[in-house]
Amino acid sequence: MERMPEAHAVKAGARLAAAPDASATIARPSTEPVEGAGRSAALPFAFNGTIGLFQPERAGVAKRQAAVLFLNPWGLEEMCSRKFFRITAERFADIGVPSLRFDYPSTGDALDVDHASDGIASWERSVLEAAERLKSLSGCDRIILVAQGLGAMLAQRVGSRIEGVDAIVMLGPVLNGRAYLRELSVWSQFINHHLGVSDDHAPQGKATIAGLVMPAEIAVELAKLKIATPEATAAARYLILERPARSDDTTFADSLRALGAFVEQQAFEGYDALVTDPLFSTMPMETVSFLAEWMDANTSAAPISVRPASRVTSEPLTGDGFEELPVRFGDYNHLVGVVCRPLGEPTGNSVLFLATAYDRHCGWGRAIVEMARNLAREGIASLRFDSANAGDSPPRPGAPEQILYSPVQYEDARCAIDLLERFARRPIMVAGRCSGGYLAFRAVVADERLRAAVSINPFVYYWDPKQAVEKKHIVSVPRSIEDYGQRLAKVDTFKRLLRGDVDVKAAARNVVIAVSRRISVRIAPLLDHLTGRRHTTAEVKRSFAALEKRKVPLTLIYSEGDVGLEHMYFQFGPGGRRLARYPNVRLVMLGDADHNLTPPGSRKTVFDEIVRLARS
């Protein structure tokens, strides 16, 4: 989830992330090797209505007897844990343990299904199907389940129905469904407040977070489920890494021991920093190393008679009016994505979606998945993918840990354009939000193969490559002046001030920043004489002029009150009036929309604009 420039909702009590200021002094990125740099991505493939990622054992390493099936948490926690699961799978591969990751029905890249008939059983069935597919792909008859959050509850419920389960590793397990849904509701309200999403746009009476809505039938059934006092074990061995705040509670572990299971329990070190949000997630590398060591100690070498692994084939995933093909591509086979095509012959421009921040390619609230499938129903093909070092795509060799606003992302965009040209054989346009919107703009300027662009809530139009960006320097998001004014006018804001829920110093600092930006709009000609500002402004003018000369349609879409507007006003005057000099540029304002486009109406406006440009 993201505000500006890459600010996702953060943990309660934490500060909000700040938009980097090109005039600030920012330290250079670390020269330490980035975890996983230079690896190929896992092998993506479609099966049973979903998309999986098979990670084989590393070449030259003896295969172990057991393979690992990862079971995802749900919602924001899943978004934050995506990279963590990838890194852990790679570490397992290094010791000879293959693994499979996948999405449950109606989540991620999986097809949407009707849960009315069997509720949570559809998710449990997908686990059983994935376990059988993992056995076939790996050649291993033994399985270890590594499950986080809600996935741990699924593991306990279905583990005994999977033949050959040796152990279950639970990471921050959900033990009580009703308590989980209550916590989800509180966390969701916190996120919506900091995003500025009004109650009118928050689904009422539904389990929702980060723009994601849990299927109602699953939520109703989940509220009745508890595994804290199990009646039977699902495996002979358990490793439980409990959330730090709950690590002293041994009730579940003691119940499993009483039933005869061998149970190890300790705190999940780094859990809180992991699930803060996708941008600020700190990978719990000590926990990754511990899991790899535990796996090394608890899996034996495969016997000579082990079955050969089956070949990974990628057949299309076919839905209502579309088909999707999972792909692995890039200079190092390091990028993972999904090509979405109409069932008939494609028409118009194909669309390249550029993901935001460190979010996976599905988008905030699965917005990109929904747009891609709706585009296919309109006859328009598209590609969505994870940039290197985000989601399921490993880093490029030699690239910095921090990739946002980095030139290395241009190379990923180039690889994606190359791929989409081969698949769709149509002209290509590009679309993205926030940092994805920035990259969309820079890509259409740099690559003449791109015929149009939609840039949504971009923070800037040019980032000086000499000015490094590091996540630790993104501290607090200053909003626009209008947004601060609206918030101060609300009685609730004063109540929160009285309760001490507002960081007054941070808020005051952000107001000063917002006022300074607004003043800078009025004195832009004077500021242009400053060396750094002059260079940036000149580059922005050159970029817009280049697109106008090529007659490339560019649509800039902003949520009203978005902090990115301050940069746009600085460059083009109040209200963006100087954009009139560029007849190829269209400015669209979204009323009552947050930076992440949570309200469905705002997404519909964006979708309609993409369709318009794709057909033009």
Side-chain angles (χ1 to χ4, degrees):
M1 153 178 51
E2 182 187 22
R3 287 185 301 278
M4 292 304 297
E6 299 303 337
H8 300 262
V10 297
K11 183 182 175 185
R15 291 183 177 180
L16 300 181
D21 183 351
S23 65
T25 300
I26 300 179
R28 292 295 171 190
S30 170
T31 57
E32 292 295 318
V34 180
E35 179 70 33
R39 286 181 179 267
S40 295
L43 296 164
F45 68 103
F47 73 102
N48 296 106
T50 190
I51 290 177
L53 288 159
F54 177 63
Q55 183 79 55
E57 68 277 7
R58 185 161 63 91
V61 175
K63 182 188 294 184
R64 299 300 177 96
Q65 191 169 7
V68 165
L69 179 62
F70 286 91
L71 302 184
N72 295 331
W74 184 81
L76 182 66
E77 187 176 1
E78 188 273 338
M79 294 168 62
C80 295
S81 302
R82 198 75 187 182
K83 182 176 175 180
F84 167 55
F85 272 23
R86 172 183 65 77
I87 293 174
T88 304
E90 292 169 351
R91 289 288 190 92
F92 289 169
D94 288 344
I95 60 172
V97 177
S99 63
L100 174 63
R101 316 189 299 273
F102 74 103
D103 293 326
Y104 311 128
S106 303
T107 72
D109 288 315
L111 296 178
D112 293 315
V113 301
D114 183 3
H115 298 274
S117 60
D118 55 2
I120 204 168
S122 61
W123 284 5
E124 295 174 350
R125 189 165 53 252
S126 72
V127 174
L128 299 175
E129 293 167 346
E132 292 307 308
R133 184 56 61 98
L134 174 58
K135 290 178 183 179
S136 173
L137 290 172
S138 66
C140 299
D141 291 323
R142 314 304 302 176
I143 296 290
I144 295 176
L145 304 179
V146 176
Q148 183 172 328
L150 195 54
M153 177 176 278
L154 295 176
Q156 178 63 19
R157 286 175 57 82
V158 305
S160 61
R161 294 154 57 188
I162 301 173
E163 184 177 353
V165 171
D166 284 344
I168 297 178
V169 177
M170 294 185 167
L171 309 174
V174 169
L175 304 178
N176 185 310
R178 185 173 296 278
Y180 169 77
L181 291 174
R182 285 199 300 267
E183 181 179 352
L184 193 70
S185 176
V186 173
W187 189 216
S188 180
Q189 291 175 30
F190 174 82
I191 291 172
N192 288 342
H193 169 76
H194 284 287
L195 283 176
V197 178
S198 67
D199 292 339
D200 294 338
H201 295 303
Q204 301 300 312
K206 295 183 179 180
T208 179
I209 192 169
L212 297 164
V213 179
M214 183 180 290
E217 297 81 7
I218 290 180
V220 168
E221 195 169 347
L222 180 60
K224 305 173 184 177
L225 299 182
K226 295 180 182 179
I227 63 168
T229 53
E231 297 179 355
T233 62
R237 177 184 291 270
Y238 286 80
L239 170 63
I240 303 174
L241 302 188
E242 186 54 272
R243 294 164 60 172
R246 300 177 182 176
S247 58
D248 293 336
D249 185 354
T250 63
T251 302
F252 179 55
D254 291 341
S255 297
L256 292 172
R257 292 187 184 103
L259 292 169
F262 179 82
V263 183
E264 301 170 74
Q265 184 183 24
Q266 65 180 56
F268 185 166
E269 298 297 340
Y271 175 84
D272 292 334
L274 171 66
V275 301
T276 297
D277 65 65
L279 171 64
F280 295 101
S281 289
T282 300
M283 293 300 104
M285 297 310 299
E286 289 187 7
T287 295
V288 171
S289 297
F290 172 77
L291 291 173
E293 292 167 2
W294 184 91
M295 196 65 64
D296 188 23
N298 288 277
T299 55
S300 57
I304 297 176
S305 60
V306 68
R307 293 180 295 105
S310 63
R311 183 171 176 268
V312 177
T313 59
S314 192
E315 298 296 327
L317 183 70
T318 303
D320 178 18
F322 65 88
E323 68 172 16
E324 295 187 327
L325 188 67
V327 290
R328 185 178 71 164
F329 64 101
D331 296 330
Y332 308 94
N333 264 337
H334 65 298
L335 301 173
V336 169
V338 178
V339 174
C340 185
R341 300 182 293 198
L343 295 181
E345 189 68 23
T347 61
N349 295 325
S350 298
V351 178
L352 172 61
F353 286 105
L354 296 172
T356 296
Y358 295 95
D359 294 355
R360 62 179 300 198
H361 57 255
C362 296
W364 172 255
R366 293 182 83 207
I368 296 180
V369 170
E370 293 174 2
M371 284 190 187
R373 292 172 179 176
N374 285 330
L375 284 173
R377 295 182 181 107
E378 298 283 341
I380 300 166
S382 67
L383 168 64
R384 58 186 188 269
F385 74 102
D386 291 341
S387 294
N389 206 22
D392 294 311
S393 295
R396 282 178 169 270
E401 173 70 33
Q402 167 58 265
I403 59 171
L404 303 182
Y405 301 92
S406 167
V408 299
Q409 287 199 307
Y410 304 160
E411 295 304 308
D412 292 342
R414 173 187 57 78
C415 293
I417 296 169
D418 292 343
L419 179 78
L420 192 51
E421 276 189 324
R422 296 197 302 272
F423 270 94
R425 301 187 183 280
R426 302 291 306 175
I428 300 171
M429 61 173 286
V430 65
R433 180 180 61 81
C434 199
S435 67
Y438 167 82
L439 183 56
F441 177 75
R442 298 314 312 172
V444 77
V445 170
D447 198 319
E448 294 191 4
R449 292 176 294 176
L450 295 175
R451 303 297 182 85
V454 176
S455 180
I456 307 149
N457 289 333
F459 177 62
V460 293
Y461 305 123
Y462 174 72
W463 190 277
D464 189 340
K466 297 178 183 178
Q467 186 68 50
V469 182
E470 289 193 84
K471 284 187 287 185
K472 68 182 180 180
H473 295 102
I474 303 174
V475 179
S476 175
V477 176
R479 303 173 186 270
S480 68
I481 293 175
E482 289 83 358
D483 188 55
Y484 280 118
Q486 292 170 3
R487 285 169 176 265
L488 287 172
K490 294 180 179 179
V491 174
D492 178 63
T493 300
F494 289 101
K495 290 182 178 179
R496 294 179 60 245
L497 282 167
L498 293 174
R499 293 197 304 265
D501 293 342
V502 175
D503 187 333
V504 177
K505 290 183 179 179
R509 181 176 64 250
N510 289 341
V511 170
V512 170
I513 292 172
V515 171
S516 299
R517 284 175 174 162
R518 180 53 55 86
I519 292 174
S520 72
V521 171
R522 305 295 181 183
I523 61 173
L526 176 62
L527 293 179
D528 278 350
H529 290 290
L530 300 177
T531 303
R533 185 76 75 173
R534 184 173 65 245
H535 173 68
T536 297
T537 300
E539 179 58 38
V540 170
K541 289 180 178 178
R542 281 194 296 269
S543 298
F544 274 81
L547 293 181
E548 195 276 331
K549 183 178 180 180
R550 287 162 46 198
K551 294 181 171 54
V552 175
L554 167 66
T555 299
L556 300 174
I557 301 180
Y558 285 96
S559 303
E560 290 183 356
D562 195 275
V563 71
L565 286 169
E566 306 297 351
H567 178 74
M568 192 267 281
Y569 293 163
F570 179 90
Q571 295 292 343
F572 299 107
R577 61 193 180 194
R578 290 197 295 273
L579 283 173
R581 300 173 182 175
Y582 305 99
N584 61 311
V585 177
R586 183 172 187 235
L587 177 62
V588 176
M589 300 300 298
L590 299 175
D592 202 16
D594 65 301
H595 182 71
N596 291 353
L597 308 184
T598 301
S602 61
R603 298 185 190 183
K604 179 63 165 57
T605 299
V606 171
F607 176 77
D608 289 344
E609 184 61 18
I610 292 175
V611 170
R612 186 187 72 83
L613 286 182
R615 289 176 170 169
S616 64

